[in-house]
Amino acid sequence: MEELLYRDCIKKLNPSHLKTIAEAHGLVLIPFSSQTALNELIKRFEDEGFIHTILDALNDFQRGVLFFISLFFQSMTAPDITALIKNFFRKDAEVDEALKTVLDNGIVFHVYVPDNNASYFFIPSDSSALVEKFCYAQLNHLFTSHSADTDKVHRCDTPICIALFSLFHYALNNDLKVNIDNSLNKRSINKIRAYLGSESSTLNTEVAERFVNGLFNYALTTNMLVLNEEYYKVNSPAINECLSSIKHLYGSFCRTALFIRNAENTEFWPEYAVLLSKFEPDVSYPIEMLQRIVSAFFPQEEAYNNCYKHDPLQVYPIFILFRLGIIQFLISDSHTVHSWKITQSGIALLSGKYAGNEKNEFDNGLIVQPNYDLIISQNADPALLWQLFQIADLVQSEFLLRFHLSRDSVYRGLSKKMCADAIISLLAGHSKQAIPQNVIYSLTEWCEEYGSVYFMDVFLLRCKNKNIADHIKIHPKTREYIVGVFSETDLIVRKEEYQVVLTVLKEIGFMPLDTVRDPYQSGDVETKLNSNGMHMPEQFPHSILQLKTYKFRFLPGLIHQ
C-alpha cells in the first residue's frame, strides 16, 4: 500500500469506528463529536509517548499477535494472517480478543480492497517502524530459547550442489521424461531419487518426491535444464555460468526453494522464511517451537507431528531447511531430538545476504586409485565436482565423495565436448599423488576409441534414375556441390548448401521438390531445418501480494467482506 500516515487513516473512519478508538484511549465525548475526537487523537499521536503507552499496555499474548501482523501485513491477507496466528497459538477465542484490542486501539487498521475482494491489516507508515521494533524486542518472550545439555549436533554437511548434480547426472544418462503438463513423471522421480544415495533413502516418499521436484524446478528456472521435444536435457553453458559464483548458486536455490510461490499453492514459504530469519543464530530452541511454526504455515503437515522428536526430516518444510544447512538439531544420548537452532549462514540465506565461499577455501585435493575410483572432499569447488560428474559416476556421497571411472562414463564426458587432454589434465592437476599407470593407459585407450566412427550431417539428393544422377554429377554448375555418391541414384551434398543446390538445379532445368522428404514416409513431408526444439522454460509465478491502491475502505474490527 502506498504511504498512509496515522492522521490519514483516522480521517477515513466512519463516526462509529472513530468513537471506538477514541473511547479505547479514554476519550469519552457526550455528545460525540467526530471532529473533536479526530483533533484530539491527532494531537495525542504527535506525542512520542502515545504509541509507547499503547504498546506497553498490551499483555504478552496481544504482543505476540501484533508481532505476526507487523511481520506479514504487507504480504498476506487479513484472513490468512488470522488463520496463521490461530494455528500457532491454538487459542482461537483469545486470538480474536487480542485482534479486537489492537484494532480498537488504532495500532492496526483493517481495510477492504474491492479490486481484490479481500481484506488486509494495515499499520500506518509513521508508526510501523516503532511497532516493528517493539515487536522484535518481544521475540524472546514469544520464542523461548532452550538450554542444551548436549554437544551432539546433527547437521547436513553435503552441499546442495551434490543433489543437483545427481539430477543432471541422471539426465545425461537417461531420457528425463515428463507428463503432459511438462512435470516430471513418477518413474523419473523414483530413478533420480536412487541417484541421490543415502540422503534420500530414509525419507518418506512424499518428502523425497518433493525434494526431487524442487531440484527439477530450480534447474528449470535457471535454464540448467531445457526442454528438447518431450525430454529435458542438460544445458551445460547455463550450469557453468551458475557455478561461476557459489554465492549465486546457493542464494538462488534458497529463493527457489523458499520464496517462489505457485499460483495454485496455498503454502506460505516466503513468510515462513521471513519469520525464521528473525531468530538469533546459534541459539537453541525447543523442538516443540519448530513444530508450532511449521503447523502455523503448513497445517497439512500435522500428520507428521509424531516425527519431530525422532525423525523431523520426514517433514518437508524442515527437511529442506536442514538440507540447505539453515538449521541444525541437538540430539540427546537417547537419540531424541530436543532442540534446533539456525546457523549463521542460514540467517544469511533466508535474509538474502548470503556471501558464499568468497575466499574460495575449497578442498580440491583428489585421490585417483588403481581401481579407477576418484575420492574427493564434499567441500570441493562445485565447478570441479561438476566436471567429475561428467566423466565419472558417483557411487558414495557420505563424508567423502567417491566416483568411479569407466569406459562409458569417459565416453559421456567426451560427448560433452571434453577432450582427452582436458580429462587427463583435470585429474593430474588435482591429484595428491601420481595417477596410477593403468588408469592413464585406460583413459588414453578409451579416448582414442572415441570418434573412430562418426556421423556426418549431410543431405541425400535422390534422383529418379541413374541418367539424371550422372548428369548432375558432371554438370559444370552442380558438380562442385556433390561431395559423395551413396548409390547410382543417390548423391550426397552438404546440408548448409541445400538452398544453393536447390536454386542451381532449377537453373539447369530440373524441377526439384521445395521440401525435404522423410525417407520413411510417403508423400511430401516437410522437415524443419533450423529449429532444435529447445525453448526457455517459463518462470514460476511469484505471487506475494502487495497492496498498491487507494481504492479501499476501512472496516470496523474483524468484519470480513
Side-chain angles (χ1 to χ4, degrees):
M1 182 183 285
E2 297 180 16
E3 272 200 5
L4 275 180
L5 304 177
Y6 179 79
R7 65 169 59 237
D8 300 319
C9 293
I10 61 172
K11 285 180 180 178
K12 294 178 181 288
L13 303 183
N14 63 44
S16 176
H17 192 180
L18 183 62
K19 183 180 179 182
T20 298
I21 294 177
E23 290 180 350
H25 297 298
L27 187 59
V28 180
L29 300 175
I30 302 175
F32 180 76
S33 166
S34 294
Q35 189 60 52
T36 302
L38 185 65
N39 293 338
E40 182 62 26
L41 286 174
I42 291 175
K43 179 181 177 181
R44 292 187 183 188
F45 183 83
E46 291 173 351
D47 182 351
E48 293 183 0
F50 180 62
I51 295 296
H52 283 287
T53 301
I54 299 174
L55 296 174
D56 289 340
L58 298 177
N59 61 38
D60 288 344
F61 190 86
Q62 293 164 347
R63 293 175 183 182
V65 169
L66 184 59
F67 169 81
F68 283 104
I69 295 175
S70 68
L71 201 57
F72 301 127
F73 77 90
Q74 295 186 65
S75 64
M76 296 173 69
T77 66
D80 284 337
I81 293 178
T82 302
L84 172 70
I85 296 171
K86 288 182 176 180
N87 287 336
F88 181 83
F89 286 109
R90 301 291 178 180
K91 297 178 180 179
D92 290 8
E94 289 89 337
V95 169
D96 286 339
E97 186 61 33
L99 286 171
K100 182 179 184 305
T101 298
V102 297
L103 288 167
D104 288 351
N105 277 327
I107 309 171
V108 177
F109 292 92
H110 193 190
V111 299
Y112 172 69
V113 180
D115 290 346
N116 297 335
N117 191 28
S119 65
Y120 301 85
F121 292 131
F122 173 65
I123 301 176
S125 55
D126 50 352
S127 62
S128 59
L130 180 60
V131 172
E132 181 179 315
K133 182 179 179 181
F134 174 84
C135 289
Y136 290 164
Q138 313 303 313
L139 193 62
N140 290 334
H141 296 289
L142 188 59
F143 303 106
T144 308
S145 59
H146 188 282
S147 179
D149 298 324
T150 178
D151 293 325
K152 202 170 186 179
V153 177
H154 181 39
R155 60 175 175 264
C156 182
D157 294 318
T158 305
I160 200 68
C161 65
I162 303 300
L164 195 60
F165 294 161
S166 296
L167 168 67
F168 298 152
H169 182 269
Y170 175 84
L172 288 172
N173 291 283
N174 305 271
D175 291 329
L176 196 56
K177 296 183 179 180
V178 296
N179 299 313
I180 295 176
D181 62 355
N182 283 338
S183 62
L184 276 179
N185 65 26
K186 186 154 266 185
R187 185 176 180 184
S188 291
I189 289 176
N190 289 337
K191 288 187 175 182
I192 294 167
R193 178 181 177 180
Y195 271 69
L196 297 178
S198 60
E199 69 181 21
S200 68
S201 60
T202 60
L203 299 177
N204 65 58
T205 300
E206 181 187 353
V207 171
E209 289 182 358
R210 291 177 73 178
F211 182 45
V212 171
N213 272 314
L215 296 170
F216 177 65
N217 290 338
Y218 171 63
L220 292 185
T221 60
T222 51
N223 293 328
M224 291 191 281
L225 282 178
V226 292
L227 186 63
N228 187 347
E229 298 179 353
E230 60 178 318
Y231 303 122
Y232 285 97
K233 300 294 183 182
V234 172
N235 183 7
S236 293
I239 294 175
N240 293 331
E241 182 178 349
C242 247
L243 293 179
S244 63
S245 170
I246 189 67
K247 173 182 178 180
H248 173 75
L249 176 67
Y250 281 81
S252 60
F253 186 88
C254 183
R255 286 191 297 276
T256 301
L258 296 175
F259 288 85
I260 289 182
R261 178 187 296 158
N262 189 284
E264 299 178 356
N265 194 349
T266 58
E267 297 176 342
F268 294 103
W269 285 97
E271 290 77 16
Y272 177 53
V274 168
L275 175 60
L276 291 171
S277 70
K278 304 304 178 184
F279 281 76
E280 287 292 325
D282 298 324
V283 174
S284 300
Y285 297 92
I287 192 65
E288 291 81 6
M289 184 58 66
L290 185 59
Q291 180 178 346
R292 288 176 62 187
I293 292 171
V294 172
S295 295
F297 288 100
F298 313 100
Q300 69 279 9
E301 300 292 343
E302 289 187 2
Y304 299 102
N305 276 352
N306 61 344
C307 296
Y308 282 84
K309 285 186 175 293
H310 302 286
D311 193 3
L313 297 185
Q314 301 305 321
V315 184
Y316 184 72
I318 293 179
F319 168 79
I320 195 65
L321 294 177
F322 179 79
R323 192 60 188 77
L324 283 165
I326 292 174
I327 64 173
Q328 298 174 349
F329 298 111
L330 298 177
I331 303 175
S332 67
D333 293 337
S334 60
H335 304 290
T336 299
V337 178
H338 60 77
S339 305
W340 63 284
K341 60 183 179 180
I342 293 186
T343 62
Q344 291 278 1
S345 60
I347 292 290
L349 271 174
L350 292 172
S351 58
K353 300 175 182 177
Y354 182 65
N357 195 341
E358 298 292 354
K359 297 180 180 179
N360 294 328
E361 295 173 348
F362 298 117
D363 183 0
N364 291 335
L366 181 66
I367 298 175
V368 183
Q369 297 185 320
N371 64 351
Y372 301 96
D373 279 355
L374 311 176
I375 299 175
I376 194 168
S377 168
Q378 291 183 345
N379 193 38
D381 187 343
L384 171 58
L385 293 177
W386 172 233
Q387 290 181 297
L388 295 179
F389 265 93
Q390 293 180 83
I391 64 170
D393 297 317
L394 182 67
V395 294
Q396 177 187 323
S397 58
E398 292 183 272
F399 307 113
L400 294 172
L401 302 179
R402 182 162 62 91
F403 295 85
H404 184 74
L405 284 169
S406 67
R407 188 173 182 270
D408 288 342
S409 68
V410 171
Y411 173 80
R412 182 177 66 237
L414 292 168
S415 66
K416 293 300 175 184
K417 311 302 182 187
M418 292 185 72
C419 65
D421 290 342
I423 292 175
I424 295 175
S425 296
L426 172 68
L427 300 180
H430 295 94
S431 179
K432 295 180 178 180
Q433 57 204 24
I435 300 177
Q437 285 299 313
N438 66 311
V439 175
I440 293 178
Y441 176 81
S442 296
L443 282 173
T444 303
E445 183 181 31
W446 295 335
C447 292
E448 287 177 350
E449 291 177 5
Y450 181 73
S452 55
V453 294
Y454 56 91
F455 292 93
M456 294 187 67
D457 193 9
V458 296
F459 268 12
L460 191 68
L461 178 61
R462 176 157 289 174
C463 305
K464 192 171 185 178
N465 55 55
K466 181 177 181 300
N467 290 335
I468 294 176
D470 289 341
H471 181 73
I472 293 175
K473 278 193 297 185
I474 62 175
H475 194 284
K477 287 191 175 183
T478 54
R479 63 189 179 192
E480 65 178 290
Y481 299 109
I482 308 304
V483 296
V485 177
F486 183 72
S487 72
E488 62 180 18
T489 59
D490 296 321
L491 309 177
I492 300 173
V493 299
R494 295 182 179 88
K495 182 176 179 179
E496 61 269 20
E497 294 179 338
Y498 155 73
Q499 291 289 350
V500 177
V501 175
L502 184 68
T503 302
V504 173
L505 287 174
K506 291 178 180 179
E507 289 177 357
I508 63 177
F510 291 100
M511 293 187 292
L513 295 176
D514 287 331
T515 57
V516 178
R517 176 173 289 182
D518 187 331
Y520 299 105
Q521 298 185 32
S522 59
D524 299 335
V525 180
E526 184 175 352
T527 303
K528 297 179 181 179
L529 304 178
N530 298 320
S531 173
N532 59 8
M534 296 171 70
H535 69 277
M536 302 287 280
E538 294 182 3
Q539 295 292 319
F540 286 81
H542 189 79
S543 57
I544 296 178
L545 180 61
Q546 298 288 343
L547 284 169
K548 294 181 178 177
T549 175
Y550 277 107
K551 295 179 180 179
F552 62 87
R553 70 172 184 268
F554 285 84
L555 299 176
L558 289 173
I559 298 174
H560 299 294
Q561 291 294 115

